[in-house]
Amino acid sequence: MPNNLFSQHTELSDEVLAYFKTLPQHGFIMVEYIWIGGSGQDLRCKTRTLPAKDGGYKPSDLPKWNFDGSSTGQAPGDDSEVILYPQHVYADPFRGGDNIMVLCDCYKPDGTPIDNNTRVACAKSCEEAAKEIPWFGIEQEYTLFEADGVTPFGWPKGGYPGPQGPYYCAIGKENAFGRHIMEAHYKACLFAGVKISGTNGEVMPGQWEYQVGPCIGIDAGDDLWVSRYLLQRVCELFGIIVSLDPKPIPGDWNGAGCHTNYSTEAMRNPGGYAKIIEAIEKLAKKHEQHILAYGEGNERRLTGRHETASMASFSYGVANRGASVRIGRQVEEEGCGYFEDRRPASNMDPYVVTGMIVRTTLLD
Amino acid sequence: MPNNLFSQHTELSDAILESFKTLDQKGFIMVEYIWIGGSGQDLRCKTRTMPYKEGGYKPSDLPKWNFDGSSTGQAPGDDSEVIIYPQAVYADPFRGGDNIMALCDCYKPDGTPIDNNTRLACAKACQEAEKEIPWFGIEQEYTLFEADGVTPFGWPKGGYPGPQGPYYCAIGKENAFGRHIMEAHYKACLFAGVKISGTNGEVMPGQWEYQVGPCVGITAGDDLWVSRYLLQRVCELFGVIVSLDPKPIPGDWNGAGCHTNYSTEPMRNPGGYAKIIEAIEKLGKKHEQHIKAYGEGNERRLTGRHETASISQFSYGVANRGASIRIGRQVEEEGCGYFEDRRPASNMDPYVVTGMIIQTTLLD
């Protein structure tokens, strides 16, 4: 039943859809091609039928495809074809069976990447740094909204819930708003083959976090983008809206980040702590360049309050959630491990951020 | 529960129907005879019981049948029998099991086709051109409406959603309206044996597209008509209305087309590009004749805006979505392939369009 407070259209029956989903596909599978659209944040997709293949499809088995780039702000109308190159295959948790999704990146017909293809540069950096075996663990925060796009999920319409305190990792109807989303998304990621490593309720009510990783190199960006696709599709199914805005509600409410944990093999090995500090010092020297690329609207989030560092200055410290970069206590004790860049906003492009971290700490 | 904003009748329980659908049929199957009605766009159907047949029924195994043509505008009241000849058999996704559907065309009792039987001429053209092995890939666009028949699905009642831009191939509750329909229809087509090759969300919110093909000759028209039957039946199950009107909402909202992709074996073979141009030039000479037959109301859609060419002028170009006919970039590069006639409206008769394309390019 539609909730007329927030949305008026007829609810389409999930049971009716469930019946169709059980129909055999007679030797065919559906392949969902997924790409990043013109804003650099919107995800787009379309499906094609392919014969079922024993052992499944690798990206190189799948045909390149194309789409109307003039409809996504990625090509002009008189030369509108944008070519999709399959890069990473995942199982499709919405269609099940042998149906798959393939994450793609976008090229012009002449084979050069389109302007907002951020994957190519990241893949290049990751390849150049391959012998360092860079790992990433990314903490994606997100905020749920009602179908009106304005009321955070669980908040009273036109008002506010009680102040932050009770909600972080909490349980109970009065404290946890939208757990179904988090649960469904977790299962979807596991099924798909996205390396989801954990989840928790966040400080602001209606806000959640999940972590993806540790992923090696380019897989971090791929898995994070697909996890976002799964999240928005899950929310679509539940009839609510997800936002990756870094400061969805102004005032005394936490923003949403995408803290990026990072290590190389050298850092992970005994004695690696020195390598960690060395890398952080390199990041410090390029703070402004990084910050500019760490997500649009980040200045609304990085105020120095609500567990953030100020945007203008770079800082780091052990167990310090008010610093730009945080080193875990255990890492300090063991003398090796990883560190956490807390600057990226929830809407950051993981290809840009991971590629830049690799470049600054290993290649420049 | 009925959504009282749009529809007031009692919802009939799908769960109760389900309990009947599981009942054994005791050695019989249900055969749904499907035909095109008097408007040339409405689909009609009725069912008969037949004994289960090992290996299934071919069209020639099924008996001719008849219906009351005076009730569909296809025969006068004093001589109302119209005979239906089974032409193509499909599995029935609504009834499942061994139940089938038979697409038919209509004849007078004396064996001559009724006036609006468009299949016969198409089948004749396809047969005459058989050795060229003509292939068709048809892109059917459609618009969903609420049960009031007036509010596009997902639009606010009496209002408008945000302007076009975010919706093409999009995800999320705010961007994709009615995905259940698309998903159920895709599975229904795969099960039925309709050659559905892909799908995507369209530029106007509440509008979708699916592609049928590549089909050889007459099977293109058969598969497309059956896909439309399945679409309307799926929408009936979900309680929404589907429209194939070519410009359902006036103003700055895309229309709905039925772009028809076409090739012959010479065009598909190396060096076929010259054959492609030759065929397009032939179509150019008969633009007016084709356009008149390409769907009622097309003049409201083909304005020269919203990715259409103007109805009065014929044009073609590589990767040009503003032309009457578009040649894909890859086709130009490879020197062979197919081309896309972008003129047909969403409500076109595929028998008329495919038959006419063959007639003009191969037979005249």
Side-chain angles (χ1 to χ4, degrees), chain B residues 81-159:
Chain B
E81 260 180 45
V82 176
I83 320 300
I84 31 184
Y85 291 24
Q87 299 291 1
V89 174
Y90 299 81
D92 185 329
F94 307 107
R95 294 175 169 147
D98 298 307
N99 299 305
I100 56 176
M101 314 183 294
L103 179 65
C104 307
D105 62 344
C106 301
Y107 296 80
K108 297 176 183 171
D110 67 7
T112 57
I114 66 169
D115 289 347
N116 83 336
N117 178 337
T118 52
R119 189 183 189 277
L120 194 57
C122 180
K124 184 161 176 287
C126 289
Q127 204 176 75
E128 283 176 25
E130 213 175 12
K131 58 175 173 43
E132 305 273 347
I133 316 177
W135 284 9
F136 294 96
I138 305 179
E139 304 170 37
Q140 175 74 67
E141 293 182 326
Y142 62 89
T143 315
L144 298 174
F145 281 82
E146 281 285 4
D148 64 4
V150 167
T151 309
F153 188 78
W155 291 35
K157 194 170 167 65

Side-chain angles (χ1 to χ4, degrees), chain A residues 16 64 71 77-78 128 152 154 168 171 181 192 219 289 293:
Chain A
V16 171
K64 293 184 172 121
S71 288
D78 56 3
E128 284 172 36
Y168 174 72
I171 57 171
I181 306 291
D219 290 347
Q289 177 187 337

Side-chain angles (χ1 to χ4, degrees), chain A residues 66-354:
Chain A
N66 62 75
F67 68 93
D68 173 12
S70 66
S71 288
T72 61
Q74 293 174 291
D78 56 3
D79 190 8
S80 59
E81 266 179 42
V82 176
I83 319 300
L84 298 166
Y85 287 27
Q87 298 291 2
H88 203 138
V89 174
Y90 298 84
D92 186 329
F94 307 107
R95 293 174 171 151
D98 296 317
N99 299 305
I100 55 176
M101 316 182 293
V102 58
L103 179 65
C104 306
D105 62 344
C106 299
Y107 294 79
K108 296 176 184 169
D110 67 8
T112 56
I114 65 168
D115 289 347
N116 83 336
N117 178 337
T118 52
R119 191 184 189 278
V120 172
C122 179
K124 186 161 176 286
S125 299
C126 291
E127 207 177 87
E128 284 172 36
K131 59 173 172 44
E132 304 275 349
I133 316 177
W135 284 10
F136 293 95
I138 305 178
E139 305 170 36
Q140 175 74 67
E141 292 183 324
Y142 61 89
T143 315
L144 298 175
F145 281 83
E146 280 287 3
D148 65 4
V150 168
T151 311
F153 189 76
W155 292 35
K157 192 168 166 68
Y160 296 89
Q164 295 183 153
Y167 311 111
Y168 174 72
C169 297
I171 57 171
K173 183 174 168 67
E174 65 276 36
N175 297 319
F177 304 155
R179 188 186 299 280
H180 274 26
I181 306 291
M182 178 276 280
E183 291 285 336
H185 178 251
Y186 206 132
K187 295 280 299 196
C189 286
L190 287 174
F191 180 88
V194 166
K195 202 162 183 195
I196 186 163
S197 46
T199 188
N200 60 271
E202 266 302 331
V203 173
M204 178 176 127
Q207 196 177 72
W208 297 82
E209 169 182 315
Y210 63 91
Q211 305 95 32
V212 172
C215 294
I216 304 175
I218 194 62
D219 290 347
D222 287 350
D223 274 22
L224 194 76
W225 273 115
V226 172
S227 77
R228 288 176 174 177
Y229 174 85
L230 296 177
L231 179 60
Q232 198 174 6
R233 285 290 309 274
V234 164
C235 289
E236 182 190 318
L237 279 168
F238 277 103
I240 64 173
I241 293 173
V242 57
S243 167
L244 297 188
D245 187 272
K247 188 75 176 185
I249 305 292
D252 210 358
W253 304 98
N254 272 29
C258 216
H259 305 159
T260 301
N261 299 278
Y262 170 65
S263 67
T264 58
E265 189 167 52
M267 293 177 206
R268 294 187 292 273
N269 287 339
Y273 198 79
K275 290 287 182 189
I276 289 172
I277 301 301
E278 186 184 306
I280 295 174
E281 294 287 353
K282 284 184 183 174
L283 287 170
K285 289 191 174 66
K286 295 208 171 161
H287 174 68
E288 224 185 282
Q289 177 187 337
H290 277 240
I291 261 293
L292 277 164
Y294 271 18
E296 216 180 284
N298 213 2
E299 65 282 358
R300 290 181 282 119
R301 177 181 76 101
L302 293 180
T303 59
R305 296 181 59 225
H306 302 111
E307 301 171 89
T308 70
S310 161
M311 188 141 168
S313 51
F314 183 90
S315 58
Y316 71 95
V318 175
N320 183 355
R321 279 182 162 77
S324 316
V325 170
R326 167 174 153 267
I327 302 166
R329 247 223 205 280
Q330 195 176 0
V331 170
E332 187 193 36
E333 279 165 17
E334 293 180 0
C336 60
Y338 65 97
F339 65 86
E340 178 192 26
D341 188 343
R342 294 175 64 79
R343 297 171 293 169
S346 43
N347 60 357
M348 63 84 154
D349 182 337
Y351 293 138
V352 169
V353 170
T354 61

Side-chain angles (χ1 to χ4, degrees), chain B residues 252-270:
Chain B
D252 210 359
W253 304 99
N254 272 30
C258 216
H259 304 160
T260 301
N261 298 278
Y262 170 63
S263 68
T264 58
E265 192 167 55
M267 292 179 204
R268 294 188 292 273
N269 286 339

Side-chain angles (χ1 to χ4, degrees), chain A residues 4-23:
Chain A
N4 287 331
L5 268 182
F6 300 112
S7 149
Q8 293 190 333
H9 70 266
T10 297
E11 281 301 296
L12 301 179
S13 161
D14 298 316
E15 288 77 26
V16 171
L17 178 61
Y19 164 76
F20 284 98
K21 282 170 70 173
T22 62
L23 293 177

